[in-house]
Amino acid sequence: ITLSVAASLTIVNCVIQNFTHDGIYLQPTGVLAFSILNTIASGNGNDGIDLSPSGTSGGISGVIDHATATNNGVDGMNVWGDNSTSGYGGPGGLALITIVNSVAANNGNNGINANTTAGHLSVSVMIRDTTASNNLNSGVQADGVSKIILAHSEAAGNGTGIIVTGSAGGYSFGDNHIYGNGLYGTTNVAGTLVVVPFY
């Protein structure tokens, strides 16, 4: 499933597997609101789900709920800001993603990846009640100046459980299960997870 121009999109009860590139590739040039529900993206050559707004007005917000991204060549779920040139103040300018009740496992790189650099889309990914397991690089990675927020989720059996690199922000409500990672000589958490209070 590929999208470049639309105001909204809903994907429900789909199985998307064994494609040479991404299973779901959303690259809106405008602002997109989306929902991906009860969907499997597996065995694809690149990412299972790739959210990568582009151009000077790209932006995206939405929810991934009860989705499974497994055995993909690169990332299970990828939120990528660098295809956009809108920057933080431009039209669109935001990627606000919620991932809940989902699984990202056995992927060739990361289970869930969030990335952006200065001057591009602002990326924030909220992850709750989600399992990221047995991924070659990390369960969850935040890179560049992106932000991840973790609640009641699990990262196990990955190369590294959680990676927070560069100037990225990693935040945890302190109720996650991050254990049994480092099969390739790394650690459960690389970088800093800031524990934030419950309210």
Side-chain angles (χ1 to χ4, degrees):
I1 297 175
T2 300
L3 179 148
S4 58
V5 179
S8 64
L9 175 69
T10 301
I11 300 170
V12 183
N13 297 332
C14 290
V15 176
I16 304 163
Q17 62 183 8
N18 301 328
F19 289 93
T20 57
H21 198 255
D22 300 320
I24 297 172
Y25 184 36
L26 308 185
Q27 192 181 24
T29 57
V31 178
L32 172 68
F34 77 92
S35 298
I36 299 172
L37 310 173
N38 299 317
T39 290
I40 297 171
S42 68
N44 299 290
N46 198 47
D47 300 328
I49 299 172
D50 187 355
L51 310 176
S52 301
S54 67
T56 58
S57 301
I60 192 167
S61 63
V63 61
I64 299 171
D65 187 2
H66 284 93
T68 300
T70 61
N71 297 306
N72 297 288
V74 185
D75 298 325
M77 304 178 191
N78 181 39
V79 185
W80 190 264
D82 281 358
N83 280 352
S84 173
T85 57
S86 61
Y88 298 107
L94 296 172
L96 303 174
I97 309 301
T98 299
I99 301 170
V100 62
N101 301 315
S102 294
V103 176
N106 301 305
N107 296 289
N109 194 32
N110 305 296
I112 299 169
N113 182 54
N115 179 82
T116 195
T117 54
H120 297 275
L121 203 73
S122 178
V123 169
S124 178
V125 181
M126 174 72 196
I127 302 163
R128 181 173 176 84
D129 292 307
T130 290
T131 296
S133 61
N134 303 324
N135 299 287
L136 189 61
N137 185 46
S138 77
V140 179
Q141 176 170 279
D143 200 5
V145 292
S146 63
K147 179 167 67 175
I148 58 169
I149 306 162
L150 294 164
H152 205 241
S153 292
E154 179 180 3
N158 306 285
T160 302
I162 309 294
I163 298 176
V164 181
T165 64
S167 299
Y171 302 91
S172 168
F173 285 100
D175 60 347
N176 300 289
H177 304 272
I178 305 169
Y179 185 76
N181 300 283
L183 300 178
Y184 305 95
T186 49
T187 58
N188 286 313
V189 177
T192 301
L193 273 180
V194 177
V195 178
V196 295
F198 291 103
Y199 289 97

